[in-house]
């Protein structure tokens, strides 16, 4: 453009001049607003991005820590002492029964299973004929030898043992006595248990004439209860507990500890023998209660007359039961 043209007058209309100003001025005014809008939009977009972003991992919630428990040992408890033995009271209570008849020898022994002690009366060490109580000695010999591997016991032998102890079967005893050594078996048991008053019969084969004392029989029961293998002990006790009122030979076994009026769960071996030296031997031995604390042994030699002799043992056993239960 020449200087002449710069100085020439503006011949455009006012409308045209206004349009020129809008073209020149317009953009300069709107730019700041566009920049501001862009900044606001960016701020909003940034805000949305922050709102949608996953939250930062929360700090772990502290858990209550239970301190380890300290176990306070419980105080050592001493088992209660057993109640005082009633054995002597039982022996004393039996004494009047012995005086019911004249010329009666009554050997008494009471074993306290808790203490292992045996208490006797004045005749407790007197040797008397064992009668069928001898069967228990032979059975203990047989079972002890089996446990030691020294003897073979067949099922038939076990059946003989059951019959000898429950039914007091003499034929069963004869089979055991002859098969397992007879008098030698009695000697073996006496030596094993230190039975000072037990000896084989003087006459061959007469096992009913084995001699023993009330103390020795109580010692034999203690061995059965504490030393025999459990199956053998149970065989003996179950056989005694199963004794019927009538024995294999028809004799009434319901006297003494097996008196039907007070028998309960008694496990007992009875014995009877007549009529050597014009007297009878009548015995009742065993546990008044199969699960109880005591063993009672009553061995008697009495004048003839089984009914009167039974009464003596019924009264003696009843007095013992009452004293032991007190």
């Amino acid at each position: 453009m020449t200087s002449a043209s710069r100085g020439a007058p503006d011949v455009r209309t006012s409308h045209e001049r206004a349009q020129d100003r809008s073209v020149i001025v317009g953009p300069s005014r709107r730019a700041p607003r566009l920049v501001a809008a862009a900044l606001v939009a960016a701020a909003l977009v940034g805000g949305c991005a922050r709102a949608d972003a996953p939250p930062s991992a929360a700090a772990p919630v502290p858990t209550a820590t239970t301190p380890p428990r300290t176990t306070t040992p419980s105080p050592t408890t001493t088992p209660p002492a057993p109640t005082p033995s009633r054995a002597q009271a039982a022996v004393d209570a039996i004494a009047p029964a012995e005086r019911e008849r004249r010329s009666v020898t009554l050997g008494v022994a009471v074993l306290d299973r808790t203490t292992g002690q045996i208490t006797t009366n004045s005749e407790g060490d007197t040797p008397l004929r064992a009668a069928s109580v001898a069967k228990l000695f032979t059975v203990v010999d047989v079972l002890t030898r089996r446990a030691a591997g020294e003897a073979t016991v067949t099922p038939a032998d076990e059946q003989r043992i059951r019959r000898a102890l429950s039914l007091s079967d003499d034929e069963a005893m004869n089979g055991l006595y002859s098969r397992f050594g007879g008098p030698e078996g009695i000697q073996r048991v006496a030596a094993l248990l230190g039975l000072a008053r037990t000896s084989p019969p003087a006459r061959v084969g007469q096992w009913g004439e084995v001699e023993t004392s009330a103390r020795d029989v109580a010692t034999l029961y203690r061995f059965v209860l504490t030393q025999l293998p459990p199956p053998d002990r149970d065989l003996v006790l179950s056989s005694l507990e199963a004794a019927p009122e009538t024995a294999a030979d028809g004799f009434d076994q319901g006297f003494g500890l097996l008196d039907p009026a007070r028998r309960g769960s008694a496990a007992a071996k009875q014995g009877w023998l007549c009529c050597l030296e014009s007297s009878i031997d009548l015995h009742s031995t065993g546990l008044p209660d199969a699960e109880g604390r005591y063993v009672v042994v009553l061995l008697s030699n009495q004048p003839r007359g089984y009914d009167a002799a039974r009464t003596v043992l019924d009264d003696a056993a009843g007095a013992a039961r009452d004293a032991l239960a007190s």
Side-chain angles (χ1 to χ4, degrees):
M1 181 180 297
T2 64
S3 59
S5 63
R6 285 200 300 264
D10 189 354
V11 293
R12 292 177 299 168
T13 65
S14 59
H15 177 73
E16 291 172 336
R17 288 193 296 268
Q19 284 182 333
D20 287 343
R21 286 195 299 270
S22 65
V23 170
I24 297 170
V25 176
S28 63
R29 291 180 177 176
R30 285 162 45 193
R33 286 198 296 269
L34 290 174
V35 172
L39 291 175
V40 172
L44 291 175
V45 170
C48 290
R50 285 192 297 271
D52 292 341
S56 60
V61 178
T63 56
T65 302
T66 304
R69 294 182 180 180
T70 56
T71 303
T72 303
S74 57
T76 302
T77 57
T78 303
T83 56
S85 179
R86 301 291 302 167
Q88 185 62 58
V91 170
D92 294 342
I94 290 170
E98 186 177 5
R99 299 192 290 268
E100 292 176 3
R101 299 183 74 190
R102 297 181 61 184
S103 303
V104 170
T105 300
L106 179 61
V108 177
V110 178
L111 165 66
D112 185 331
R113 298 174 63 186
T114 299
T115 65
Q117 298 299 308
I118 296 173
T119 305
T120 69
N121 70 347
S122 60
E123 300 287 357
D125 290 311
T126 300
L128 296 170
R129 287 181 290 268
S132 285
V133 176
K135 295 167 181 171
L136 186 57
F137 285 84
T138 294
V139 167
V140 168
D141 176 59
V142 172
L143 296 178
T144 301
R145 292 174 66 197
R146 175 171 73 172
E150 298 172 357
T152 300
V153 179
T154 67
D157 293 327
E158 286 200 0
Q159 183 62 19
R160 292 186 185 97
I161 288 172
R162 292 188 182 92
R163 291 185 62 83
L165 295 181
S166 60
L167 286 159
S168 202
D169 188 334
D170 291 346
E171 289 304 315
M173 174 59 172
N174 289 340
L176 295 171
Y177 195 74
S178 61
R179 172 166 157 72
F180 291 97
E184 291 81 8
I186 303 300
Q187 291 174 323
R188 280 191 293 266
V189 172
L192 176 65
L193 304 185
L195 307 179
R197 299 291 187 270
T198 298
S199 58
R203 297 193 296 164
V204 176
Q206 298 300 312
W207 47 260
E209 296 175 26
V210 167
E211 288 196 342
T212 191
S213 68
R215 183 190 299 276
D216 283 1
V217 174
T219 302
L220 183 67
Y221 272 102
R222 182 171 61 194
F223 181 83
V224 168
L225 293 166
T226 63
Q227 299 299 316
L228 280 184
D232 292 343
R233 177 199 62 209
D234 295 344
L235 171 61
V236 171
L237 294 181
S238 63
S239 298
L240 296 179
E241 194 172 356
E245 193 166 331
T246 303
D249 65 358
F251 192 83
D252 183 0
Q253 296 192 100
F255 63 90
L257 295 174
L258 297 186
D259 178 2
R262 303 194 65 177
R263 173 171 178 166
S265 64
K269 184 70 198 79
Q270 312 286 69
W272 53 93
L273 182 65
C274 185
C275 297
L276 299 177
E277 301 172 359
S278 299
S279 65
I280 62 173
D281 299 288
L282 192 67
H283 314 314
S284 186
T285 72
L287 293 88
D289 175 357
E291 301 297 327
R293 178 174 174 175
Y294 299 97
V295 170
V296 175
V297 177
L298 305 171
L299 302 185
S300 74
N301 177 263
Q302 303 189 43
R304 290 190 182 189
Y306 274 123
D307 287 345
R310 288 170 184 275
T311 298
V312 170
L313 292 195
D314 287 348
D315 292 347
R321 286 180 186 274
D322 291 341
L324 297 175
S326 298

